[in-house]
């Protein structure tokens, strides 16, 4: 991941647009979490915690994982401000090395598009999950008007489903839940939520 870019962006990352988008994502993820018993959640690529900080009432513990220390510093300040005690942070990049971790739920919100080897990261996250654990992915649908050397231009549902199944996930669900104006590299785009069980 282009880490330096995110380090520079950290302080001004929580723009109004990002906060609004996070609210939409939180609503969708809350619905997905409400049917599973509250347990441990890892937010992989958490950034400043815009999404997972709003889920702390639904789970027993949250671990924010990001490869940008600056992003996590911003998140830590928020955690302190909100007085959330069930939340920890870890600076790590699972594409390079995955620490010994276990969780019941792994959330990846608008992160998959930044990771070149999709299947490899899905495998790492599968390995971290406890048996019957759930992976929740929120990302952009495939968008042909976007072309960037470091970012996937979204994902096709059937292709992502196939990858998840190859890695070992079962009960895979995926649906588009939001269409927005200029939300993906200044282009109109739609977002999907996907879930799979280990």
């Amino acid at each position: 991941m282009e880490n330096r870019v995110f380090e520079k962006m950290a302080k001004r990352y929580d723009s109004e647009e990002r906060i609004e988008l996070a609210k939409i994502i939180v609503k969708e993820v809350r619905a997905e979490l409400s049917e599973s018993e509250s347990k441990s959640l890892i937010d992989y690529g958490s950034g400043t915690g815009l999404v997972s900080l709003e889920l702390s009432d639904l789970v027993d513990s949250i671990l924010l994982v990001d490869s940008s220390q600056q992003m996590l510093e911003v998140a830590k300040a928020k955690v302190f401000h909100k007085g959330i005690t069930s939340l920890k942070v870890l600076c790590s990049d699972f594409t390079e090395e995955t620490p010994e971790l276990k969780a019941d739920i792994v959330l990846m919100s608008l992160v998959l598009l930044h990771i070149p080897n999709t299947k490899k990261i899905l495998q790492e996250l599968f390995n971290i999950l406890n048996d019957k654990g759930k992976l929740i992915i929120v990302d952009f649908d495939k968008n042909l008007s976007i072309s960037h050397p470091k970012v996937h231009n979204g994902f096709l549902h059937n292709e992502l489903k196939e990858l998840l199944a190859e890695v070992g996930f079962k009960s895979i669900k995926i649906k588009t839940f939001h269409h927005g104006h200029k939300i993906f590299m200044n282009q109109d785009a739609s977002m999907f939520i996907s879930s799979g069980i280990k």
Side-chain angles (χ1 to χ4, degrees):
M1 229 185 265
E2 276 298 280
N3 212 359
R4 290 182 307 281
V5 176
F6 289 108
E7 294 285 5
K8 285 197 188 103
M9 286 168 65
K11 291 270 191 292
R12 54 190 166 77
Y13 188 77
D14 293 3
S15 63
E16 268 180 56
E17 295 79 23
R18 281 208 179 87
I19 290 166
E20 282 311 305
L21 201 57
K23 282 180 186 164
I24 293 160
I25 293 169
V26 165
K27 189 171 173 227
E28 203 61 34
V29 174
R30 283 186 80 85
E32 185 63 49
L33 286 178
S34 63
E35 60 194 55
S36 58
E37 288 175 37
S38 300
K39 308 229 180 70
S40 54
L41 179 136
I42 289 177
D43 181 0
Y44 182 69
S46 63
T48 62
L50 273 177
V51 173
S52 52
L53 289 185
E54 302 304 320
L55 305 169
S56 61
D57 59 314
L58 290 180
V59 291
D60 301 334
S61 67
I62 296 178
L63 178 65
L64 301 183
V65 179
D66 203 279
S67 59
S68 163
Q69 189 63 51
Q70 296 303 115
M71 289 280 196
L72 291 173
E73 290 303 323
V74 175
K76 274 200 265 191
K78 285 196 225 172
V79 170
F80 179 75
H81 185 67
K82 286 176 183 263
I84 303 168
T85 53
S86 58
L87 200 144
K88 293 187 169 67
V89 303
L90 172 69
C91 189
S92 180
D93 183 346
F94 293 4
T95 61
E96 289 170 10
E97 186 185 1
T98 306
E100 288 291 315
L101 293 170
K102 281 290 174 194
D104 300 306
I105 303 150
V106 173
L107 169 66
M108 194 163 38
S109 173
L110 305 184
V111 173
L112 197 58
L113 74 159
H114 294 288
I115 299 172
N117 190 335
T118 305
K119 188 173 180 182
K120 183 176 186 296
I121 193 66
L122 294 177
Q123 187 68 63
E124 297 295 337
L125 298 177
F126 181 84
N127 295 342
I128 281 170
L129 281 166
N130 289 321
D131 286 344
K132 299 194 168 52
K134 182 186 274 190
L135 173 65
I136 301 170
I137 299 170
V138 175
D139 222 310
F140 293 110
D141 291 317
K142 182 68 98 178
N143 193 325
L144 296 177
S145 58
I146 287 164
S147 174
H148 190 283
K150 297 222 184 290
V151 177
H152 295 281
N153 63 347
F155 300 92
L156 292 170
H157 291 199
N158 56 345
E159 285 180 9
L160 185 58
K161 258 186 172 170
E162 266 175 42
L163 280 178
L164 287 162
E166 278 173 33
V167 165
F169 284 100
K170 299 174 181 65
S171 310
I172 299 161
K173 294 187 296 201
I174 186 163
K175 67 166 186 179
T176 297
F177 68 92
H178 178 72
H179 296 267
H181 179 59
K182 294 194 168 183
I183 57 172
F184 184 11
M185 297 210 155
N186 233 6
Q187 300 288 335
D188 294 357
S190 57
M191 289 189 295
F192 67 82
I193 186 166
S194 153
S195 66
I197 305 292
K198 180 168 176 175

